[in-house]
Amino acid sequence: MKKLINAPEAVLADSLVGVAAAHPELSVDHVNRIIYRGTPTPAGKVALISGGGSGHEPLHGGFVGTGMLDAACAGEIFTSPTPDQIQEATKVADSGAGVLHIVKNYTGDVMNFEMAAEFAEAETGVKVASVVVNDDVAVEDSTWTAGRRGVGLTVLLEKIVGAAAEEGRDLDSLAALAGRINESGRSMGMALTSCTVPAAGKPTFDLPDDMMEIGVGIHGEPGRHRVPLAPAASIAQQLVEPVLADLDFTGGPVIAMLNGMGGSPLIELYLMYGEVAKLLEKAGVTVARNLVGNYITSLDMAGCSITLLRADDETLKLWDAPVNTSGLRWGV
Amino acid sequence: MKKLINAPEAVLADSLVGVAAAHPELSVDHVNRIIYRGTPTPAGKVALISGGGSGHEPLHGGFVGTGMLDAACAGEIFTSPTPDQIQEATKVADSGAGVLHIVKNYTGDVMNFEMAAEFAEAETGVKVASVVVNDDVAVEDSTWTAGRRGVGLTVLLEKIVGAAAEEGRDLDSLAALAGRINESGRSMGMALTSCTVPAAGKPTFDLPDDMMEIGVGIHGEPGRHRVPLAPAASIAQQLVEPVLADLDFTGGPVIAMLNGMGGSPLIELYLMYGEVAKLLEKAGVTVARNLVGNYITSLDMAGCSITLLRADDETLKLWDAPVNTSGLRWGV
């Protein structure tokens, strides 16, 4: 295992030291492994909190900042944050207007966010609402989840609902918006190689040199099928078709993300986006906004995913609103 | 070789299709493989042009936009752009105020930018000045270069001189500023793994599982020495020490970049930045600004580099000025 680390068990703690050093505008709670904005949530603003296992950076810590999250709870690599962590973040980030939990659909995450919400409500009376993101069309159930996995759409949802929260909308309307976004987006991913979890010290799965995994999850969970390596145009087709088959993306603007899994260079991600864009145009899908890059990764896995989100004027306005995080920044 | 490509010989062309699809705000000349801003250089503004072999993305195409480059010439992977390409970009981007070529110190790049400058001056009378970036402290001469290689400092220089060009400064003063930046910065890189050039189909070099390459170049050129794999704290020391030994970075603010080589996940880059920041503090170096992420890469190589730049009030002001590119964006 070749990694830029000190010791497998210290990766998360050591990386948070780096985040704190690089981003004086953030506030890092090293004990509870929570990344907050540098200034407390303003009175009247609903706090947005997300989190999950580490290893998907910039998600979620890289999306803390104006226009996006108020706090991110970092679990160990590919491990849910604990209820205690989430409860602490919920209490600290709440300014009295309530807290929206943005949870990717993995069994441990859902359970721990639920427990944290109950504890926080019981202990301090903070109002908590939740959205569970489950946009992965690849498989209905997998190693880590009951129902569809939460993947790339989480990034888009955090941006859009984050902008709405910045406008001062209340908790119920933000939860409703988050639910609508979740229903309007779909993703599908693929891997050329496995990732290697530091604590495991070896690749999560074996993938022969001439094969790729279509429909892979962000922890290296098996996908729909293992198929022979193919040109980018074919890979794009194998990602786009199931997404379009699952939801109608014609008839309105779409936000598209071509996301890298962490180990694929940017030149390949742009190449893939070119192939995806051709297929979408052919299918009558109008891409109004796009993102190309590493936004929700799987450690050093080579591969990519696509996410499509049906948008409307409101969504696009919220998408375009200023965001100031290390992972996404514009308008500021 | 596992890559998201159609064919080795089509990687650059296909990737530029994706860049054009993703960035309607840019203008891509697919024949000459030049990325321009979407609007012509305003009268009176010096045009900044860079370029080089592809495979280092986001450098250089990802740095075209307000506050940074006016055009980037993309060579084939790890291959200099041709004089024709550079001449074309020089002619198109010039608004009459002249053109500054930002050239990384590789023999082919330097030669081709020089020829292009001569041709452009002779043919259309455009004034061209050049800066050759040579910040790599690892080796004096290497496979690709006479003298020190140009690496990470190029990113910082393009940002700072780009901001100065936006202010309307003239060609001579921009060239002088670029020269001062080049003299004030140093870099050092390392690799855990080789990269794989698509046309070669196999790793550029062999690196045993228990070894790493200290002082590696951005094309996988050999470095200072091959040493046993070590913890991040030791790797940081092996990068920071030669940089600090080469130039005094105390006594004023410094801009620091911890750059990923392309295949290392962000969680490791932040971890490395944490280690670097500790060493710099111990050495009395004051980091005023920093960047952590993939800015000048080496395809899928796992590894990182550090760049330090001695700054002053003027440099910091130019650093903080708005920049609107896909690779660096703030203030807009």
Side-chain angles (χ1 to χ4, degrees):
Chain A
M1 177 177 62
K2 298 185 114 173
K3 291 186 179 290
L4 302 166
I5 63 174
N6 289 308
E9 64 279 10
V11 172
L12 174 56
D14 288 351
S15 145
L16 288 175
V17 169
V19 169
H23 299 294
E25 75 279 12
L26 298 174
S27 163
V28 178
D29 174 347
H30 293 279
V31 174
N32 292 298
R33 289 154 184 201
I34 303 167
I35 299 177
Y36 297 98
R37 300 191 193 182
T39 52
T41 312
K45 182 189 174 298
V46 171
L48 262 55
I49 298 183
S50 194
S54 293
H56 307 302
E57 292 68 25
L59 183 100
H60 295 275
F63 299 137
V64 173
T66 308
M68 227 162 153
L69 301 178
D70 294 271
C73 302
E76 286 295 334
I77 287 177
F78 292 179
T79 303
S80 303
T82 64
D84 283 1
Q85 266 182 292
I86 305 166
Q87 186 184 355
E88 170 72 13
T90 302
K91 282 160 51 185
V92 170
D94 180 42
S95 73
V99 175
L100 180 66
H101 285 174
I102 301 173
V103 188
K104 301 195 297 304
N105 189 35
Y106 300 98
T107 309
D109 288 25
V110 171
M111 191 174 68
N112 290 358
F113 269 95
E114 267 178 17
M115 285 175 63
E118 281 171 28
F119 293 162
E121 284 174 337
E123 196 194 329
T124 49
V126 48
K127 286 182 298 179
V128 180
S130 293
V131 59
V132 175
V133 188
N134 59 350
D135 55 314
D136 191 341
V137 304
V139 287
E140 196 58 46
D141 297 296
S142 89
T143 329
W144 299 63
T145 184
R148 285 180 165 180
R149 301 175 294 221
V151 288
L153 185 60
T154 316
V155 178
L156 279 47
L157 188 149
E158 291 179 357
K159 166 66 186 87
I160 291 165
V161 181
E166 223 64 57
E167 290 181 349
R169 298 196 199 180
D170 68 19
L171 183 59
D172 287 348
S173 85
L174 291 173
L177 173 65
R180 285 200 304 279
I181 301 287
N182 184 50
E183 284 161 19
S184 309
R186 298 290 188 276
S187 298
M188 178 89 174
M190 61 77 58
L192 292 173
T193 68
S194 174
C195 52
T196 296
V197 178
K202 60 183 180 55
T204 304
F205 58 94
D206 289 317
L207 198 50
D209 278 352
D210 56 349
M211 301 292 279
M212 60 184 179
E213 184 79 43
I214 298 289
V216 77
I218 54 171
H219 311 94
E221 309 96 304
R224 286 199 179 187
H225 33 240
R226 186 163 285 192
V227 298
L229 213 57
S234 164
I235 295 173
Q237 204 163 10
Q238 295 182 61
L239 297 181
V240 167
E241 277 180 0
V243 167
L244 296 186
D246 204 81
L247 189 68
D248 182 6
F249 285 94
T250 61
V254 163
I255 301 175
M257 177 170 73
L258 190 296
N259 170 65
M261 291 298 196
S264 283
L266 196 54
I267 192 170
E268 295 180 28
L269 302 183
Y270 272 109
L271 190 154
M272 280 298 302
Y273 184 71
E275 299 298 337
V276 167
K278 280 181 222 167
L279 294 171
L280 294 179
E281 192 179 355
K282 202 180 291 178
V285 175
T286 308
V287 178
R289 304 288 187 278
N290 74 81
L291 280 182
V292 179
N294 292 306
Y295 294 100
I296 170 170
T297 60
S298 202
L299 293 169
D300 52 350
M301 182 187 282
C304 68
S305 64
I306 66 155
T307 297
L308 298 184
L309 169 63
R310 290 180 59 95
D312 55 25
D313 287 350
E314 185 203 14
T315 333
L316 291 181
K317 194 175 133 270
L318 293 169
W319 180 259
D320 292 339
V323 59
N324 193 8
T325 71
S326 63
L328 275 189
R329 184 184 292 119
W330 57 72
V332 287
Chain B
M1 176 178 61
K2 297 186 115 175
K3 290 186 179 291
L4 302 167
I5 64 173
N6 289 308
E9 64 278 10
V11 171
L12 175 56
D14 289 351
S15 145
L16 288 175
V17 170
V19 169
H23 299 293
E25 75 278 12
L26 298 175
S27 165
V28 178
D29 175 348
H30 294 279
V31 174
N32 293 300
R33 291 162 180 192
I34 303 167
I35 298 177
Y36 297 99
R37 299 190 194 184
T39 51
T41 312
K45 182 190 172 300
V46 172
L48 260 55
I49 298 183
S50 193
S54 294
H56 307 301
E57 292 68 25
L59 183 101
H60 296 276
F63 299 136
V64 174
T66 309
M68 229 163 151
L69 299 179
D70 293 271
C73 301
E76 287 294 335
I77 288 178
F78 294 178
T79 303
S80 303
T82 64
D84 284 1
Q85 267 182 291
I86 304 165
Q87 186 185 356
E88 170 72 13
T90 303
K91 281 160 52 186
V92 171
D94 179 42
S95 72
V99 175
L100 180 67
H101 285 175
I102 300 173
V103 188
K104 300 192 300 304
N105 190 35
Y106 299 98
T107 310
D109 287 25
V110 171
M111 191 175 68
N112 290 359
F113 269 95
E114 266 178 17
M115 286 175 62
E118 281 170 27
F119 293 161
E121 284 173 337
E123 197 194 329
T124 51
V126 47
K127 286 182 297 177
V128 179
S130 293
V131 60
V132 175
V133 188
N134 59 351
D135 55 314
D136 192 341
V137 303
V139 288
E140 196 57 46
D141 296 296
S142 89
T143 330
W144 300 63
T145 186
R148 285 181 165 180
R149 301 175 294 220
V151 287
L153 184 62
T154 317
V155 178
L156 278 48
L157 188 150
E158 291 179 359
K159 167 66 187 85
I160 292 166
V161 181
E166 223 65 55
E167 290 181 349
R169 299 196 199 179
D170 68 18
L171 184 58
D172 287 347
S173 85
L174 291 173
L177 172 65
R180 284 199 305 277
I181 300 287
N182 184 51
E183 285 161 18
S184 310
R186 298 290 189 274
S187 298
M188 178 91 174
M190 60 78 57
L192 293 173
T193 69
S194 174
C195 51
T196 296
V197 177
K202 59 182 179 57
T204 304
F205 58 93
D206 290 316
L207 198 49
D209 278 352
D210 56 349
M211 299 292 278
M212 60 184 181
E213 184 79 43
I214 298 288
V216 76
I218 54 171
H219 311 95
E221 308 96 306
R224 285 198 178 188
H225 33 238
R226 186 163 284 192
V227 299
L229 210 56
S234 163
I235 296 173
Q237 204 164 10
Q238 294 180 61
L239 297 181
V240 168
E241 277 179 1
V243 167
L244 297 187
D246 205 81
L247 190 67
D248 181 7
F249 285 94
T250 61
V254 163
I255 301 175
M257 177 169 72
L258 190 295
N259 170 64
M261 291 297 195
S264 283
L266 195 54
I267 192 170
E268 295 179 27
L269 303 183
Y270 272 110
L271 191 154
M272 281 298 302
Y273 184 70
E275 299 299 337
V276 168
K278 281 180 224 169
L279 294 172
L280 293 179
E281 194 180 351
K282 201 180 294 179
V285 176
T286 307
V287 178
R289 302 288 187 279
N290 72 83
L291 279 182
V292 179
N294 291 304
Y295 294 100
I296 171 170
T297 61
S298 200
L299 293 170
D300 52 350
M301 183 187 282
C304 68
S305 64
I306 66 157
T307 296
L308 298 184
L309 170 63
R310 289 182 61 95
D312 54 26
D313 287 349
E314 184 202 16
T315 333
L316 292 180
K317 193 174 135 272
L318 293 168
W319 180 257
D320 292 339
V323 58
N324 193 9
T325 71
S326 64
L328 274 189
R329 184 185 291 118
W330 57 71
V332 288

